[in-house]
């Protein structure tokens, strides 16, 4: 089994910070739990990136405990995963999803 290399767009760092800050504002420590779950989800993604295609050729992987999805594209020839966004399921997709 091949592990894929994960490459995140620089904007993903901002997505994670916004999510962490929002979740911490709701309940202390939730932001830390979110980031921990994100890292665990990436480990699963490296081993098996074949998740549902939601639009164009962008795959989406929902996080287990938080209402967020990782939006990514698979570069099969290079065995890499290009992460474009980590977005809340509550956001308006017409405004935030990649087109």
């Amino acid at each position: 089994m091949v592990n894929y290399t994960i490459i995140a767009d620089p904007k993903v760092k901002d997505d994670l910070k916004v999510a962490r800050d929002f979740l911490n504002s709701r309940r202390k420590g939730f932001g830390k739990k979110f980031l921990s779950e994100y890292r665990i989800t990436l480990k699963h993604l490296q081993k098996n990136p074949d998740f549902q295609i939601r639009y164009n050729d962008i795959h989406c992987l929902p996080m287990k405990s938080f209402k967020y999805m990782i939006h990514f594209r698979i570069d099969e020839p290079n065995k890499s995963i290009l992460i474009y966004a980590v977005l809340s399921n509550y956001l308006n997709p017409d405004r935030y999803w990649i087109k």
Side-chain angles (χ1 to χ4, degrees):
M1 179 180 287
V2 175
N3 276 349
Y4 286 71
T5 302
I6 293 182
I7 302 167
D9 186 284
K11 293 182 278 186
V12 171
K13 189 174 182 179
D14 294 333
D15 291 345
L16 294 173
K17 183 181 181 322
V18 168
R20 183 198 66 206
D21 292 347
F22 171 75
L23 291 166
N24 277 333
S25 75
R26 294 294 186 193
R27 186 168 175 190
K28 187 175 181 174
F30 259 28
K32 186 175 180 179
K33 287 182 181 182
F34 169 79
L35 293 176
S36 176
E37 184 176 313
Y38 173 74
R39 286 188 287 274
I40 290 167
T41 304
L42 289 184
K43 287 180 183 180
H44 292 296
L45 185 60
Q46 279 184 301
K47 295 175 185 169
N48 181 16
D50 294 320
F51 289 92
Q52 181 182 28
I53 295 177
R54 288 287 178 110
Y55 53 98
N56 299 330
D57 62 341
I58 301 293
H59 298 256
C60 291
L61 172 60
M63 294 180 67
K64 187 175 181 178
S65 303
F66 295 92
K67 301 293 182 190
Y68 284 81
M69 283 210 274
I70 300 171
H71 299 249
F72 63 95
R73 186 173 276 134
I74 302 171
D75 181 357
E76 197 61 51
N78 294 317
K79 298 295 183 207
S80 60
I81 298 165
L82 310 166
I83 299 177
Y84 292 103
V86 178
L87 300 175
S88 168
N89 295 349
Y90 296 110
L91 294 175
N92 180 347
D94 292 333
R95 181 171 178 201
Y96 292 97
W97 284 18
I98 300 166
K99 304 231 185 230

